[in-house]
Amino acid sequence: TLGRLSVPRGQQHVALPASPVPPCPTSRLPAPQAAFAHLALAFRCDVFTLQQRVQVEKRARDAAEENIQEELGQCRAALERLGRACANAGCKEMLEQLQHNLAVLSAAVERATSAAEKLGAVLQEARMSRAAEVMVQHVENLKRHHLREHAELEEMKRLIQQNSRNRQLAETQDDVEPRLRPHPLKRTFQQVTA
């Protein structure tokens, strides 16, 4: 909606209420043109903070991965300590199963991280696709407007040329007609004699 803007801040979005300032000039524009103007403004604003946001997100991802790896490492170390302390064959078998489960969990975490990054990329692609669709629609509207204006211009040129030809023809006829028409005094003389 145009009344509220969603502004990313970290991992959350904060909805800002519309300000009491008079509406911007784009609010009087047709929907695709207004949407295009808002998207263009959003893209320009995002460019200023894009590198900073990328760095923040990379640090957050790296920190989360480091925390997971640290926790997995602590679990491995605890299992090794437990394995040294355990003499029972059943207990050792259970520890081996836990170590195998821990390895599977580590691989699953890596796959989940990769899948999350792919999902983020696809979601961003979907947002960009919608933005591109708005932009394409705006360009198509501009093309239609241009074609309509061009057709009107060509029609006006044609009418002006036609009007000019008619005026020239009328002026030529006015120049020729006095020579062909009898003089008004001659006409009255012919009427009196008749």
Side-chain angles (χ1 to χ4, degrees), residues 5-20:
L5 296 175
S6 180
V7 179
R9 192 171 99 183
Q11 293 293 331
Q12 53 186 313
H13 292 277
V14 178
L16 300 174
S19 68

Side-chain angles (χ1 to χ4, degrees), residues 3-149:
R4 297 173 67 81
L5 296 175
S6 180
V7 179
R9 192 171 99 183
Q11 293 293 331
Q12 53 186 313
H13 292 277
V14 178
L16 300 174
S19 68
V21 179
C24 67
T26 60
S27 64
R28 293 184 293 274
L29 298 174
Q33 192 173 357
F36 177 83
H38 284 266
L39 279 173
L41 180 62
F43 282 129
R44 280 190 222 114
C45 292
D46 283 350
V47 166
F48 292 117
T49 61
L50 182 61
Q51 286 299 327
Q52 180 184 6
R53 286 182 289 128
V54 167
Q55 293 302 320
V56 166
E57 293 304 321
K58 278 184 179 179
R59 282 194 300 268
R61 182 204 57 200
D62 292 346
E65 286 179 355
E66 286 173 11
N67 289 343
I68 289 171
Q69 292 303 324
E70 185 178 324
E71 290 296 326
L72 290 173
Q74 288 176 1
C75 286
R76 284 187 197 100
L79 286 176
E80 285 178 19
R81 285 192 304 273
L82 192 57
R84 286 190 297 262
C86 185
N88 186 347
C91 182
K92 286 197 182 260
E93 187 178 312
M94 188 178 284
L95 285 174
E96 286 177 11
Q97 181 62 38
L98 284 173
Q99 286 174 333
H100 173 72
N101 289 350
L102 198 57
V104 169
L105 179 63
S106 178
V109 165
E110 288 180 26
R111 285 193 306 274
T113 302
S114 174
E117 286 181 0
K118 288 177 185 174
L119 175 62
V122 169
L123 290 173
Q124 181 62 23
E125 184 180 340
R127 285 189 291 271
M128 293 302 295
S129 175
R130 176 63 187 128
E133 183 182 319
V134 167
M135 291 180 187
V136 166
Q137 184 181 10
H138 178 62
V139 169
E140 288 174 357
N141 286 348
L142 289 176
K143 284 180 182 177
R144 280 194 299 276
H145 181 72
H146 173 73
L147 288 174
R148 187 173 60 244
E149 294 286 325

